[in-house]
Amino acid sequence: MNHSSHHFFPGPQTGVSPTDEMLKEEHEVAVLGAPQGSGPVMSTVVNVRSETVVPDHIVWSLFNTLFFNPCCLGFVAFAYSVKSRDRKMVGDVIGAQSYASTAKCLNIWALVLGLLVTTAFIITVIVISTGPRVHRS
């Protein structure tokens, strides 16, 4: 039975000093050869962009569609929110931001108009129910 241990990490754990590692790499370059040609060394840069967070306001749009929907603004906002989410899924951040901005604006208008209509309705009901009562004797 072989009881030798194998380390999976190179460097000091394997008993090889960093200087020995550098000498080994220099030897490999000498054996394999340096890059050929006297031209400039070309490099490739890969830009990995982080996932940009674009809020699509879909929950707010759904809430406005169900509760505050004057002039169907909540429904239209919901449609723009879905379009924003679709654009985000295909990687079109600019398109997603544009649709999300429109959905946000429509949601604000739907909420404001819905609150105004609801407040006006409540005030009207209170005024009518507590209006002047005519007592006939």
Side-chain angles (χ1 to χ4, degrees):
M1 198 177 239
N2 187 0
H3 292 288
S4 64
S5 64
H6 296 285
H7 294 285
F8 295 106
F9 301 106
Q13 295 90 353
T14 60
V16 179
S17 69
T19 308
D20 291 339
E21 286 288 325
M22 288 177 54
L23 289 174
K24 182 179 176 186
E25 289 176 10
E26 288 176 5
H27 175 70
E28 289 175 0
V29 169
V31 170
L32 298 174
Q36 301 296 322
S38 60
V41 176
M42 301 295 285
S43 63
T44 303
V45 177
V46 178
N47 291 328
V48 178
R49 61 182 171 91
S50 63
E51 191 64 32
T52 305
V53 177
V54 179
D56 52 18
H57 308 292
I58 200 156
V59 175
W60 189 13
S61 300
L62 184 62
F63 176 81
N64 283 338
T65 299
L66 296 175
F67 297 109
F68 298 115
N69 201 13
C71 304
C72 294
L73 287 177
F75 180 73
V76 175
F78 185 72
Y80 274 95
S81 295
V82 170
K83 284 184 176 187
S84 173
R85 184 167 281 189
D86 289 345
R87 292 285 91 201
K88 187 169 51 173
M89 289 300 154
V90 296
D92 181 12
V93 176
I94 303 298
Q97 288 173 339
S98 174
Y99 283 124
S101 175
T102 304
K104 182 179 179 181
C105 183
L106 290 170
N107 278 323
I108 290 170
W109 278 107
L111 185 63
V112 168
L113 290 176
L115 288 174
L116 286 175
V117 168
T118 304
T119 305
F121 179 75
I122 291 172
I123 290 172
T124 303
V125 168
I126 290 173
V127 167
I128 290 174
S129 66
T130 61
R133 297 181 189 252
V134 178
H135 294 290
R136 295 187 180 151
S137 6

